[in-house]
Amino acid sequence: MHSFELQVYIYKCENVTIQITGKCKSVILDSCTKCGVVFDNVISACEVVNCKRVQVQATGSCPSFSIDKTDGIVVHLSNEAVSESSFVTSKSSEMNVSWPDADGEIKEAPIPEQFMHKMVNGSVTSQVSDLYH
């Protein structure tokens, strides 16, 4: 079995930090509290579901982060992950992302959890709430 075929599933952990070295297919955190996960490279996605106060750090690449039913998460991105990562979120709050800028300083920003939706020409349009501007 190649290491990139490995799927890492972390369930109901509390007050721990887990380090995953090498390359894996995906990382899933489920029902964890006050945990940290540091990983090198993920081919598919890092999923966080039903968690509270967790931190996830990509030291290499990770194309996608999925955050569902999670309250309090910080996603730390590497230089490599900044340009390729996307986020899909639902039913979550207190979400932040941090990344190194061109000068090596760490920047942090909230991931919006509030949106404004309007009907425009028979279609629903959505945009981030003014709270995030």
Side-chain angles (χ1 to χ4, degrees):
M1 176 189 279
H2 297 291
S3 63
F4 61 83
E5 294 174 357
L6 180 68
Q7 182 175 359
V8 179
Y9 184 77
I10 302 164
Y11 181 66
K12 282 196 174 180
C13 286
E14 290 188 30
N15 300 312
V16 297
T17 299
I18 298 165
Q19 184 166 5
I20 304 163
T21 56
K23 189 182 286 189
C24 62
K25 182 178 177 183
S26 64
V27 174
I28 301 168
L29 255 71
D30 186 355
S31 303
C32 296
T33 303
K34 295 181 182 175
C35 288
V37 175
V38 180
F39 56 83
D40 293 338
N41 295 295
V42 171
I43 295 171
S44 177
C46 174
E47 298 178 39
V48 181
V49 61
N50 295 318
C51 293
K52 291 183 176 159
R53 307 218 183 287
V54 295
Q55 294 195 35
V56 175
Q57 181 175 356
T59 59
S61 63
C62 182
S64 179
F65 291 86
S66 174
I67 304 167
D68 186 29
K69 299 178 194 158
T70 293
D71 296 318
I73 181 170
V74 179
V75 177
H76 302 278
L77 300 177
S78 66
N79 281 329
E80 187 179 351
V82 167
S83 61
E84 70 174 13
S85 295
S86 63
F87 298 86
V88 176
T89 65
S90 63
K91 296 183 181 180
S92 296
S93 65
E94 301 173 50
M95 301 175 289
N96 289 289
V97 60
S98 72
W99 69 95
D101 68 7
D103 298 326
E105 285 192 43
I106 301 299
K107 301 286 188 178
E108 187 171 43
I111 297 173
E113 59 186 88
Q114 186 175 15
F115 297 86
M116 184 173 66
H117 311 282
K118 291 182 182 179
M119 291 298 299
V120 177
N121 299 325
S123 296
V124 177
T125 63
S126 303
Q127 63 184 34
V128 173
S129 168
D130 289 339
L131 294 173
Y132 298 93
H133 298 292

